[in-house]
Amino acid sequence: MTVQTATSPAPGRRSAQPEPPPGRGRLLRTGLRHVRSWPLPFTVAAAFLALTTVAALLAPLIAPQDPQAIDLNASSAPPDGVHLLGTDQSGRDLLSRVLFGARTSLVAPLALLLCAAVIGVALGTLAAWRGGWTDALVSRVTDVMFAFPGLLFVVLIIAVFGDGLTTAVVALALAYSPVIAKYTRSIALSERAKPYIDAYRVQGVSGFSICVRHLLPNLAAALLGYLVLMFGEVLMGMTTLSYLGFGAQPPSSEWGLMVKEGQAAIVQGALWPALVPGTAIALTVVAFNIVGVRVSDRLGARER
């Protein structure tokens, strides 16, 4: 008669041993499999935005020329071995100016969107939580802002406080905040009706604490998807103001301002000074729209 020790496995059974942690190769294969599942337009758009962001960050290192260096002998020159995307009317290298201009063209809409989000989320959450006359007041104010043409409102603020990039950012932030406030109010009303909110209120938790610690974190995914979707529109608004002369001022290489400066060269038959920054704006806006729709759909599906 044999006696089985505690360390010997039972007949017909394998000894239970912990599985080794996945190695780097397995993690890499899993990541590649996940990337391959992305739709092709989203993959291309995300790669383009990543490349644009890296190029903007590394502009001082990768720009072939000084973006402000004037060479009148190479005025409105077509692309060649020295100037890969040609030059503008002052002979400045367009590739270098587009790379440096990506910094202003991306950072300004980001700052604008953050300011608009702070104002809009605060107003929308307040209206949804308080209800009553507070909700009615916030709703009427946002309705008036919607009825007032956004561009006219921005021009009015710039006329009072002066032009410039900072004023344009603040003015557009005020113009976009009612849109974010309405969206925040709609999703906050739905979240406020859930049982866990009533449970916290019964326990005596203050409304401010509930909103900051529980309500807003649960709205974060939906708000993030909405803001990413808005980024392309905000970028277009900023470049439009710069094109009209209300945003970035010379000698900045902001893309909208570059289009305005290159417009005069079109009459002379030189398309590159306006075509290069215009193409950069179009591709970036389209890429943000594609990525924004995908991110919004994924975050929305996760919330459901």
Side-chain angles (χ1 to χ4, degrees), residues 1 38 45 76 119 158 164 183 186 195 261-262 272 283-284 290 303:
M1 176 175 168
W38 294 350
S76 301
I119 299 173
I158 291 175
Y183 178 76
S186 64
E261 293 174 344
W272 293 101
L283 291 178
T284 306
I290 294 174
E303 286 295 308

Side-chain angles (χ1 to χ4, degrees), residues 37-298:
S37 67
W38 294 350
L40 181 60
F42 173 79
T43 305
V44 173
F48 174 79
L49 292 180
L51 182 62
T52 302
T53 303
V54 172
L57 294 174
L58 300 180
L61 300 177
I62 64 177
Q65 308 279 344
D66 182 354
Q68 304 301 337
I70 296 177
D71 183 7
L72 296 180
N73 293 325
S75 176
S76 301
D80 55 24
V82 178
H83 305 286
L84 298 180
L85 294 181
T87 63
D88 62 5
Q89 300 93 306
S90 300
R92 296 174 294 188
D93 184 68
L94 285 176
L95 176 58
S96 302
R97 289 182 62 77
V98 166
L99 291 175
F100 275 89
R103 293 179 156 193
T104 306
S105 301
L106 295 179
V107 172
L110 180 61
L112 186 162
L113 203 55
L114 289 176
C115 293
V118 170
I119 299 173
V121 170
L123 289 177
T125 305
L126 177 65
W129 184 260
R130 300 285 296 180
W133 68 267
T134 304
D135 187 13
L137 178 62
V138 173
S139 298
R140 296 297 79 78
V141 170
T142 53
D143 288 341
V144 170
M145 293 290 292
F146 269 113
F148 201 78
L151 183 59
L152 184 59
F153 173 77
V154 172
V155 171
L156 178 62
I157 293 180
I158 291 175
V160 174
F161 296 99
D163 54 14
L165 189 61
T166 302
T167 308
V169 167
V170 174
L172 273 180
L174 294 176
Y176 278 105
S177 57
V179 182
I180 301 175
K182 277 190 170 294
Y183 178 76
T184 304
R185 176 185 176 273
S186 64
I187 60 176
L189 283 174
S190 176
E191 191 70 22
R192 184 177 180 270
K194 293 184 177 180
Y196 78 91
I197 297 293
D198 293 331
Y200 282 118
R201 298 182 71 175
V202 169
Q203 295 174 15
V205 182
S206 66
F208 180 80
S209 179
I210 295 174
C211 290
V212 173
R213 297 179 60 184
H214 305 286
L215 182 65
L216 287 178
N218 288 334
L219 302 180
L223 286 172
L224 178 61
Y226 186 70
L227 293 177
V228 173
L229 191 58
M230 284 187 64
F231 196 95
E233 181 182 351
V234 170
L235 189 152
M236 197 68 185
M238 280 300 306
T239 55
T240 300
L241 285 182
S242 296
Y243 174 80
L244 295 175
F246 299 132
Q249 301 297 315
S252 172
S253 56
E254 197 271 344
W255 291 344
L257 183 60
M258 288 182 64
V259 173
K260 177 187 177 183
E261 293 174 344
Q263 188 175 7
I266 297 178
V267 182
Q268 304 171 1
L271 300 179
W272 293 101
L275 183 62
V276 170
T279 303
I281 294 171
L283 291 178
T284 306
V285 170
V286 170
F288 266 112
N289 287 340
I290 294 174
V291 172
V293 169
R294 175 69 175 177
V295 171
S296 181
D297 290 344
R298 294 287 294 182

